[in-house]
Amino acid sequence: MDYVLLLTQTLNGLQLGVLLFLLASGLTLVFGIMDFVNLAHGSLYMMGAFICATLTFATGNFFLGILLAIPVMALLGYAVEFGLARWLYTRDHLSHVLATFGLILIFDTLVQIIWGEAGIVVPLPEWLDGQVEILPGVVFPIFRLLIIGSGLSIAAGLFWLVNYTRLGMLIRAGASNRTMVSALGIDIQMLFGLVFALGAVLAGIAGMLISPITEAEIGMGNGIIITAFVVIIVGGIGSMKGAFIAAMLIGLIDTLGRSFLDDAFKLFMTENSAETAAPAVSAMLIYILMAIILAVRPQGLFPPKVR
Amino acid sequence: MSRNLNHRIFSIIIMVLLGILPPIFIWIGEPFYADLATRIVCLAIAAVSLNLILGYGGMVSFGHAVFIGIGAYAVSIPSYHATYGEWDAIASYNGLFQFGIAIGLSAIFALIVGAICLRTKGVYFIMITMAFSQMMFFFFISQETYGGDDGLTIDIRSELPLISMDDPLQMYLLCYASLVAAVLFVRMIVRSRFGMVLRGGMGNEERMRMIGYNVYLYRLVAYVISGAMAGYAGALLGNFTTFISPEMMDWTRSGELMFMVILGGGGTSVGPVLGSILFIGLEFVIENAIALINHDWAKYWHLPFGAFLIAVVLFVPGGVIGLFKSKERKK
C-alpha cells in the first residue's frame, strides 16, 4: 500500500473528524441540556462561513474575520434561542424538528437574499496557502494542519469548560436536573441562552474553518448536519466524550473508505465489479457502521450516565 | 357520532372536491391545475401512509421520502433496461411488474430498516430513520448508470391494463382512486384490533407490554405496511413526473412529508390529505403572491413559507383539521 497516501488521507480524516466534532459538540450541548433537537444547527454552520467571508473581505484579514465573526455567531445563536427554541422546550421532539426545519428554509433564503446565489471563495493569507513537508516525502497543506490543531485545542478548551468551570458545573447540573438548578436561584433561561450561543459559535467556527477549502455556499450545512447527527447517535446522545471519539472515528472511516475501499475490494473481486461497488459502499460506509453499532448497542457507544 | 360530525363532513367535502375539481380543470383546458392536483394526490398517498406510523403509532420516521424514491426507481430502472438493454430479468414496461417491485422492495427495505430503528426510541429513532434514508440517497447518487445525481428520465410510462397513464385524466383518476383506497385502508387498519394495539402502544407502551402484546412486532408490521404504501405512491409519482433523481429522497423531502401530516392533522384519516393540499397549495400561492408585488422576489418564497411552517408548529399543534373538531373531542 502507498504509505504516503495513507498518511495524507489519515490527516484528511482527522480534519473532517475535527470539523464534525465542532458541529456535534454544539448539538450535544443543546440536546443534552435543553433536550432540544436543532435541525437548523447546520444553518448556523453555513451562517458562520458566510459571515466570516464578509468580515474577511471587509477587514482584509482572515483571522480578523474569524475573531469578529465569533461574537456575531454568539448573538445569532442567542437570537434563535430567544426567538424560537425557548417557546418549544416543553413540546415534544417532533415540534422541535418541524420548527427548526422551517428555520432552515428561512436561513437558506436569507443567505440567498443577502449574499446571492453563488458561493463565496474565502481567500487565505499567503503564508497559510502553502504546503509543508511533515515527514520526508509527505507534504500536507498548512491550513488543514491548522484546522486539526485549532479543532483539537477547541475540544480541549470545551473539555476544560464543561468539567472545571462554574459555567460547566451549571451546564452539567442543568443536564441532570434543570428544576433543581433553577430552584437554587440560577437564571436557567440565561443559562440556556448562553449554551445555545456557545453551540452556535462552535458550529460557526466549523463553517469558518471550512470556508477557504470548499467555499461558503447555500445549503452547505444541510448535508453535513446529517453526518453530525450520525456522530452523536454513534457516540451516544448527550455524551461529549462519545461525540469526540465518534467524530474522529467517522471522519477517518469516511475519508479512508473513499480512498482505499476500491483497493480493498480488488483483493477479492474482479477489478470491474470493485470499481462499481466501491463508490456506492464508501458513500454509505458511515451509515452502515451506524447501523451495525446500533444493532448491537441501541444507546450508542458511550451513553451518558445521567438521564 | 354527532359530536364529531363537523370534522366528518369537512373530511368528506375535501375528498369529494378532490375527486371532482381536477377532472373539471382538465375538461375546461386548465392542465396546469390538474398537474398540481396530481402531484398533491400522489404525495397525499405518501402522507397518509406516514400518518399510519406517525399519527397513530407515534413513530416519528424522518426517512419516509426514501420509499417514494425506491418506488420511482422501481419504475424507471426496469423501463431503462427495457429501452437500452442489459439486465433482461428486470427489463420491462409492464406496470403490474414495476408496481409490484416498488411495493415489494419498499416493504423489504422497511422491514430491514424498521427492525433496526425500532430497537431505539425517541430522538434516536428520528435520527436513525433519517440517516438510513440518507444512506439510500447516497447509494443512488453513486449509481452512474442510472444518472447519478442528475437523475433518470422515464421515457415510457408503466403499461397497465385498461388504463393509459399518458392520458392526464386517466392518470389523475388512478391516483385519486389510489388515495381514496389508501385513506380507507389506513382507516380500516387503525380501527381493527391491530390498530388498537398500535395506538395503545403510542399512548402507553409499558401498559400494552404488560397486557401481553409484543409492541415491537406490531410497530414493525405497521412500518412495513406504511413503507409499502409510500413505495406505491412513489411509483405513481415517478410515472407522473416521468423523472426520478436522488434529490426526491433527500431528508428535506422527508421533512416536507412530515409537515404535510402535521399541518393537516396527524392521527386523523383525512388530515394528511388536507395537509398535502395546503402544503403544495401554499407553496404555489405564496410564490405567486410575491410575484405580483415584485417578480424578482418570487424566488425568495421559502422565507415566508418557512415562517408560516414555524407559526403552524407554535400555534396550531393539532393541525388544521383539529380546528374543525368539537372541543369535547379534543380532550
Side-chain angles (χ1 to χ4, degrees):
Chain A
M1 195 183 273
D2 185 346
Y3 287 97
V4 176
L5 186 62
L6 181 65
L7 191 64
T8 316
Q9 292 297 0
T10 306
L11 284 171
N12 280 332
L14 277 181
Q15 181 232 302
L16 177 61
V18 159
L19 284 175
L20 286 175
F21 174 71
L22 287 177
L23 277 168
S25 59
L27 283 173
T28 300
L29 278 176
V30 169
F31 187 79
I33 295 162
M34 294 169 251
D35 201 26
F36 184 78
V37 186
N38 185 14
L39 280 186
H41 199 67
S43 299
L44 295 170
Y45 165 84
M46 171 182 70
M47 292 304 283
F50 274 97
I51 291 170
C52 172
T54 300
L55 291 171
T56 301
F57 283 113
T59 59
N61 184 321
F62 180 60
F63 286 96
L64 213 53
I66 289 187
L67 272 182
L68 291 172
I70 286 174
V72 180
M73 285 311 298
L75 275 178
L76 188 63
Y78 190 80
V80 170
E81 199 273 343
F82 187 83
L84 182 65
R86 180 166 293 192
W87 311 100
L88 291 167
Y89 291 143
T90 53
R91 303 269 292 275
D92 55 0
H93 288 142
L94 179 60
S95 306
H96 303 167
V97 164
L98 293 175
T100 50
F101 182 78
L103 200 58
I104 291 177
L105 295 181
I106 293 182
F107 270 122
D108 279 352
T109 322
L110 274 181
V111 166
Q112 204 183 344
I113 293 173
I114 301 173
W115 286 283
E117 309 267 342
I120 302 176
V121 188
V122 180
L124 273 175
E126 227 165 75
W127 60 275
L128 266 180
D129 208 6
Q131 301 210 325
V132 63
E133 191 167 11
I134 40 176
L135 279 175
V138 184
V139 288
F140 197 71
I142 301 172
F143 183 64
R144 285 178 186 254
L145 282 179
L146 186 85
I147 293 182
I148 297 175
S150 47
L152 290 178
S153 0
I154 292 170
L158 203 58
F159 181 76
W160 171 77
L161 178 84
V162 171
N163 287 303
Y164 297 102
T165 64
R166 185 177 153 77
L167 179 63
M169 185 188 75
L170 291 176
I171 288 175
R172 281 176 291 135
S176 312
N177 190 334
R178 73 172 87 167
T179 327
M180 188 57 83
V181 175
S182 82
L184 290 171
I186 305 300
D187 185 349
I188 199 98
Q189 288 284 23
M190 194 59 179
L191 179 68
F192 282 10
L194 280 180
V195 171
F196 216 103
L198 179 60
V201 167
L202 290 167
I205 291 177
M208 297 173 206
L209 288 176
I210 202 71
S211 61
I213 298 180
T214 60
E215 83 183 20
E217 57 182 345
I218 297 169
M220 65 189 275
N222 298 352
I224 198 165
I225 192 65
I226 308 297
T227 318
F229 275 131
V230 171
V231 165
I232 67 168
I233 293 170
V234 168
I237 296 178
S239 157
M240 200 56 97
K241 178 179 131 197
F244 183 77
I245 296 173
M248 294 306 152
L249 191 68
I250 281 173
L252 283 172
I253 286 176
D254 191 48
T255 312
L256 295 178
R258 281 174 207 278
S259 13
F260 298 111
L261 209 60
D262 53 344
D263 287 341
F265 276 11
K266 277 174 196 160
L267 296 176
F268 57 90
M269 279 183 182
T270 63
E271 190 144 326
N272 219 338
S273 47
E275 264 162 23
T276 337
V281 176
S282 62
M284 303 193 302
L285 201 56
I286 58 170
Y287 303 104
I288 296 171
L289 174 84
M290 183 197 69
I292 294 171
I293 288 177
L294 286 174
V296 186
R297 285 177 70 99
Q299 296 302 304
L301 291 177
F302 304 95
K305 291 183 190 75
V306 285
R307 303 176 71 75
Chain B
M1 288 295 262
S2 63
R3 61 179 180 176
N4 212 12
L5 203 61
N6 278 348
H7 167 220
R8 183 175 267 195
I9 293 173
F10 184 66
S11 302
I12 291 173
I13 291 175
I14 292 173
M15 292 308 287
V16 170
L17 284 181
L18 211 49
I20 295 173
L21 284 184
I24 294 180
F25 286 137
I26 294 175
W27 276 321
I28 61 173
E30 286 278 3
F32 177 80
Y33 291 102
D35 273 4
L36 202 63
T38 314
R39 204 156 72 86
I40 287 173
V41 169
C42 289
L43 288 171
I45 299 171
V48 166
S49 79
L50 176 60
N51 186 36
L52 172 64
I53 54 174
L54 176 70
Y56 293 108
M59 290 170 259
V60 185
S61 167
F62 205 147
H64 224 60
V66 79
F67 298 111
I68 294 185
I70 292 176
Y73 272 110
V75 173
S76 65
I77 292 177
S79 159
Y80 172 86
H81 286 299
T83 312
Y84 299 103
E86 287 188 78
W87 283 84
D88 292 338
I90 58 162
S92 168
Y93 297 123
N94 186 337
L96 296 178
F97 174 73
Q98 292 172 348
F99 277 73
I101 293 185
I103 294 171
L105 278 185
S106 297
I108 291 169
F109 186 74
L111 183 66
I112 297 169
V113 169
I116 297 174
C117 295
L118 286 169
R119 285 168 51 87
T120 66
K121 292 203 168 48
V123 75
Y124 277 88
F125 183 80
I126 300 180
M127 289 175 188
I128 293 163
T129 47
M130 174 149 86
F132 269 114
S133 77
Q134 281 306 96
M135 182 165 132
M136 291 310 282
F137 172 73
F138 284 117
F139 173 77
F140 278 106
I141 277 189
S142 64
Q143 298 304 307
E144 296 291 335
T145 323
Y146 306 121
D149 53 358
D150 291 331
L152 185 62
T153 305
I154 300 171
D155 295 322
I156 294 173
R157 290 192 167 101
S158 299
E159 286 166 355
L160 288 172
L162 305 175
I163 300 169
S164 160
M165 295 230 217
D166 290 323
D167 177 70
L169 181 63
Q170 292 186 35
M171 175 83 202
Y172 181 77
L173 290 178
L174 174 66
C175 294
Y176 176 72
S178 305
L179 175 65
V180 173
V183 169
L184 294 177
F185 182 54
V186 167
R187 198 179 146 87
M188 187 194 84
I189 291 177
V190 296
R191 290 181 171 207
S192 69
R193 221 176 76 101
F194 173 84
M196 297 288 184
V197 178
L198 191 66
R199 285 152 69 190
M202 175 177 164
N204 188 336
E205 190 179 340
E206 208 59 38
R207 186 171 59 199
M208 291 317 286
R209 204 173 288 133
M210 286 304 155
I211 301 173
Y213 289 107
N214 185 346
V215 179
Y216 173 85
L217 207 61
Y218 278 82
R219 286 185 174 157
L220 186 58
V221 172
Y223 196 84
V224 170
I225 294 174
S226 171
M229 282 173 69
Y232 175 81
L236 281 181
L237 195 66
N239 266 304
F240 167 64
T241 56
T242 63
F243 175 72
I244 167 73
S245 83
E247 195 261 336
M248 220 159 160
M249 51 215 297
D250 188 34
W251 67 273
T252 51
R253 293 308 175 109
S254 300
E256 290 177 7
L257 274 183
M258 272 170 37
F259 246 114
M260 291 174 193
V261 175
I262 302 303
L263 184 61
T268 62
S269 10
V270 180
V273 181
L274 178 64
S276 314
I277 298 172
L278 287 176
F279 193 94
I280 303 199
L282 267 170
E283 281 185 0
F284 175 75
V285 169
I286 291 180
E287 192 174 352
N288 282 282
I290 300 176
L292 281 182
I293 304 166
N294 183 329
H295 194 73
D296 292 334
W297 292 351
K299 62 183 174 194
Y300 302 134
W301 65 271
H302 271 111
L303 184 71
F305 190 64
F308 168 79
L309 295 184
I310 291 175
V312 169
V313 175
L314 286 175
F315 304 116
V316 204
V320 175
I321 212 158
L323 302 175
F324 289 85
K325 282 188 172 182
S326 59
K327 286 205 177 83
E328 321 147 58
R329 182 75 185 174
K330 265 187 192 166
K331 270 287 161 191

